[in-house]
Every structure is written in C-alpha cells, then in structure tokens.
C-alpha cells in the first residue's frame, strides 16, 4: 500500500465496495500518506451499506468519491426489461450499466487503482491474482492499452487473518457481516451464506457458475470457464454479448459496411470501429467510444460499429484494413478511401481530435 501511494500520489485511488475493503483504508491511513477512494453507487445497495459509507467517512475524516450509473442507460434497461431482468438472463447486462461503465469513467482519471481482491475469495477466478499488475481491461488517464496499473495488496492475505486485523484495529465494518453476509454487492443479488459455504456463494446465487464476477475484475476470467449456462470467452464476455450499445452508435451489417466503403461521394462523414466483443482492448475503449459518439451527435459525423470477427474477419482484413482489434476507420465526406486511426491512445479526446482534424 505504501509503495502504491508513494509511486502514484494523487493519480491512484482505492476502490471501496462497502465490505471488508475498509482494511485497505486502514492500511492507507497507517502509511501516513494522503489517499483517495471511490465507490460505485449502483442505486441497488443495501441500506446498511449506505449507512456504512457514512460511518466510514466520519471515522476516517475522508470523502468518498461516489460514481453513479448513467441515468438514461438505467432508465432504458428498466423500461425495456424490468427491475429484475438479471434473474432471467444473467447479471452481466445490469452490472455493465450500473458498475462497469461507472468504473470505466472513474479509472479514466487515474493512472492506478487499488482493489481488495484476495486469492481465497473466489478459487474459480481469483486464485492467480498478483499483488501488482498492468490492467488488461481498463484504460487510465493516459488513454492507451497498458496505461493503468492495478494494485491488489490483499492478494496473498487469508480471509481469517484479514478479519483478525479488522477486529484488532477496531475499525467500523458493514453490519451485514454480522447477519451472515460475507461478500457484499447489490441488495437483489446478494444474500447471506450458510456455515461452510464459500463467501461467493452468496453472490448471484441463482446462477450455476464458477466465474462469479460482475465485470469489474473480468480480466480474471479465463477462456472456457462457465458463467451461468453460457460459455465465457476471455474477460468474461458471453458469445452473444456485444459492445458499444448506444443510440448514438449505428450497428452496421456486412451489407451496410460494404455499401459505405463503396460510396465515393458520401453526404456525411463516418467513424467506424471494427471490433470483436471478446477483445479486451475493444472492451477497454467501450466507454470512450460511446462518449465520443455522444459528443459527435449533430455534428454531421455518423459513428458506427461493425463486428468484424468470425465469418467477417477475412473480409475486414482484405477490404477494411483490419489488422488487430479494434481498428478504427474514418470515412471522409466526398472521399472514397477510409483513413485508419493509428495511435494507441483511444480515449474520447484523442479520437475527437482525430475526427476534427480530418473534418
């Protein structure tokens, strides 16, 4: 913890979930260094967790930087699928809206983050968690792959030893722990566990799953592991999962992208990402690309996406300059040949500058 805070200063923050992550705050306090912390308020947490947040802030004299989901996205999900769709079609979509995208926004302002992951929390997904790593899924403020460092100072700490530490230091803990809750998430998706059950058994209990992750640490999930009744690819995406879901991003079919590429006198400019849903780099830029699409709305530049893996990969390689995923192409107005975006930085500001220069 001391080394993390020393190296990154104000560009690192503790991710606090409202469970035993209070140990991270106590360790940070013991270093004597200033530190930041943020928490994801999904809007579905237990009342005890919200009360715990207030107790922690008062106890340590600190301010938690709360991150909230996009209201329009939540509204669309609930209106279309109801409040409890995750009981029927899996928790990934709800977690993506309420947790993953807010986390992505939080990490865009950092160069590193600190988590409370432990190897013994989930043998199926966290048994190989290192103390420090380059985050393979999310991007930091530098806006490129490998721009974010992830610290897991509790990785090698046994859960029993952690609780001995919490009791010895007499720090506040979530009152839900005393009611049998060990791993604590959103209220509808968390329940107490029975004696002898593993702590992750209380999360998404209706799913028969080894890979019980919400997406915040989806880099832990390896190819071939199961999530619910669906096969999971690298980083936890199911075969039918998709990216860049937004009303401002046009989903292009094979015929659509072929027609766009053939036009020699376009009336509008287009920016198109060639992607694969399982690609960790595509996943990492999802938030930036949707943000860019929102900023370009009404400017005369259309923003699209084309899923270029599987049967479309050879076509994309030969006809659309696809090298690696993601490949980003700008189709200028009144010009036949698309221009490929080459820099590694894929944050919204860099992409916006690229589009403006070509416009």
């Amino acid at each position: 913890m001391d080394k993390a805070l020393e190296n990154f200063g104000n560009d690192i923050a503790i991710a606090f979930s409202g469970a035993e992550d209070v140990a991270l705050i106590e360790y940070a306090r013991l270093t004597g260094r200033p530190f930041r912390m943020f928490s994801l308020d999904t809007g579905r947490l237990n009342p005890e967790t919200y009360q715990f947040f207030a107790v922690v802030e008062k106890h340590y004299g600190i301010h938690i930087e709360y991150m909230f989901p996009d209201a329009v996205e939540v509204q669309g999900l609930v209106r279309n699928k109801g409040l409890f769709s995750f009981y029927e079609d899996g928790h990934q979509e709800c977690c993506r809206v309420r947790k993953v995208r807010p986390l992505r926004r939080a990490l865009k302002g950092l160069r590193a983050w600190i988590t409370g992951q432990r190897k013994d929390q989930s043998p199926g997904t966290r048994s190989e968690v290192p103390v420090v790593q380059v985050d393979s899924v999310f991007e930091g403020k530098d806006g490129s792959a490998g721009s974010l460092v992830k610290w897991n100072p509790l990785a090698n700490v046994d859960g029993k030893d952690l609780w001995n530490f919490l009791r010895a230091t007499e720090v506040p803990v979530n009152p839900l722990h005393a009611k049998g809750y060990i791993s604590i998430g959103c209220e509808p998706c968390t329940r107490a566990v029975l004696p002898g059950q593993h702590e992750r058994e209380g999360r998404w209990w209706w799913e028969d799953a080894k890979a019980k992750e919400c997406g915040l640490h989806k880099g832990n999930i390896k190819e071939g592991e199961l999530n619910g009744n669906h096969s999971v690819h690298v980083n936890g995406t199911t075969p039918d999962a998709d990216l860049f879901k937004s009303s401002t991003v046009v989903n292009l079919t094979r015929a659509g992208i072929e027609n766009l590429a053939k036009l020699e006198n376009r009336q509008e400019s287009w920016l198109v990402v060639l992607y694969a849903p399982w690609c960790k780099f595509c996943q990492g830029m999802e938030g930036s690309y949707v943000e860019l699409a929102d900023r370009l709305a009404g400017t005369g530049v259309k923003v699209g996406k084309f899923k270029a893996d599987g049967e479309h990969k050879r076509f994309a390689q030969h006809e659309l300059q696809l090298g690696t995923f993601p490949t980003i192409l700008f189709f200028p107005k009144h010009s036949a040949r698309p221009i490929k975006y080459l820099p590694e930085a894929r944050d919204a500001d860099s992409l916006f500058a690229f589009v403006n220069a070509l416009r």
Side-chain angles (χ1 to χ4, degrees):
M1 179 66 78
D2 185 68
K3 184 60 65 175
L5 296 177
E6 177 188 10
N7 285 351
F8 290 95
N10 199 49
D11 288 333
I12 192 171
I14 298 169
F16 179 56
S17 70
E20 70 271 33
D21 288 341
V22 69
L24 296 174
I25 304 172
E26 180 65 12
Y27 282 128
R29 184 193 68 80
L30 291 171
T31 70
R33 301 182 186 277
F35 61 92
R36 297 170 57 190
M37 56 184 296
F38 69 88
S39 189
L40 307 177
D41 183 352
T42 65
R44 305 296 294 272
L45 303 178
N46 294 80
E48 292 90 342
T49 298
Y50 287 112
Q51 294 163 6
F52 179 49
F53 286 151
V55 170
V56 167
E57 288 185 313
K58 185 175 182 179
H59 180 84
Y60 288 99
I62 57 177
H63 173 68
I64 299 174
E65 301 171 23
Y66 295 102
M67 299 300 297
F68 302 93
D70 182 85
V72 175
E73 284 191 302
V74 173
Q75 177 177 286
L77 175 63
V78 172
R79 285 185 175 179
N80 292 332
K81 306 186 74 172
L83 286 167
F84 301 99
S85 60
F86 40 82
Y87 288 140
E88 299 177 357
D89 57 13
H91 67 272
Q92 295 293 339
E93 182 177 13
C94 185
C95 286
R96 183 166 58 247
V97 170
R98 293 182 182 271
K99 299 177 75 173
V100 177
R101 286 176 177 164
L103 174 67
R104 184 174 286 118
R105 293 201 308 271
L107 298 179
K108 281 292 187 180
L110 301 171
R111 293 174 53 229
W113 63 309
I114 301 169
T115 87
Q117 291 191 103
R118 305 191 319 272
K119 291 179 179 178
D120 66 348
Q121 279 177 325
S122 181
T125 63
R126 300 187 180 184
S127 61
E128 299 177 10
V129 169
V131 172
V132 61
Q133 63 190 131
V134 174
D135 196 314
S136 64
V137 177
F138 297 102
E139 294 182 352
K141 65 190 304 181
D142 296 333
S144 60
S147 62
L148 186 69
V149 179
K150 187 175 183 179
W151 292 77
N152 310 297
L154 303 180
N156 298 317
V157 177
D158 183 88
K160 293 180 180 179
D161 292 334
L162 177 64
W163 273 99
N164 287 336
F165 171 77
L166 294 176
R167 295 186 185 100
T169 53
E170 298 183 331
V171 300
V173 295
N174 194 319
L176 287 173
H177 291 303
K179 300 178 181 180
Y181 291 76
I182 303 180
S183 179
I184 301 173
C186 291
E187 186 275 333
C189 303
T190 307
R191 68 179 182 181
V193 296
L194 298 173
Q197 281 189 303
H198 192 273
E199 60 185 87
R200 297 296 280 188
E201 288 297 310
R203 303 291 292 275
W204 308 292
W205 67 90
W206 64 92
E207 296 183 6
D208 180 18
K210 295 179 181 178
K212 289 197 173 186
E213 296 284 356
C214 59
L216 304 186
H217 306 295
K218 57 188 176 182
N220 295 341
I221 302 177
K222 297 178 176 60
E223 190 168 4
E225 289 177 340
L226 299 179
N227 192 341
N229 296 317
H230 303 284
S231 176
V232 174
H233 290 289
V234 175
N235 298 315
T237 59
T238 56
D240 58 345
D242 201 10
L243 303 176
F244 316 115
K245 292 183 177 180
S246 171
S247 60
T248 54
V249 179
V250 179
N251 185 23
L252 293 169
T253 63
R254 170 74 172 266
I257 193 74
E258 287 179 336
N259 289 335
L260 179 62
K262 291 176 182 177
L263 288 175
E264 297 184 0
N265 190 25
R266 300 181 193 88
Q267 299 305 305
E268 296 175 306
S269 299
W270 280 77
L271 186 75
V272 178
V273 59
L274 311 180
Y275 72 102
W278 47 263
C279 168
K280 62 185 178 182
F281 301 110
C282 300
Q283 296 168 14
M285 67 166 284
E286 182 180 22
S288 297
Y289 197 71
V290 171
E291 178 187 341
L292 175 69
D294 292 340
R295 290 168 63 175
L296 289 174
T299 65
V301 178
K302 295 283 189 180
V303 179
K305 63 177 184 176
F306 175 63
K307 188 157 60 175
D309 64 342
E311 62 180 327
H312 302 306
K313 186 173 182 179
R314 185 178 295 276
F315 158 75
Q317 289 173 326
H318 291 159
E319 304 296 333
L320 298 174
Q321 307 177 50
L322 174 66
T324 58
F325 294 114
T327 292
I328 302 170
L329 300 176
F330 184 76
F331 294 82
K333 183 178 180 180
H334 305 310
S335 178
R337 185 168 178 79
I339 301 169
K340 186 175 181 178
Y341 179 76
L342 296 177
E344 289 188 4
R346 302 187 187 101
D347 59 287
D349 289 338
S350 297
L351 291 170
F352 190 74
F354 168 71
V355 171
N356 271 341
L358 295 177
R359 286 169 63 198

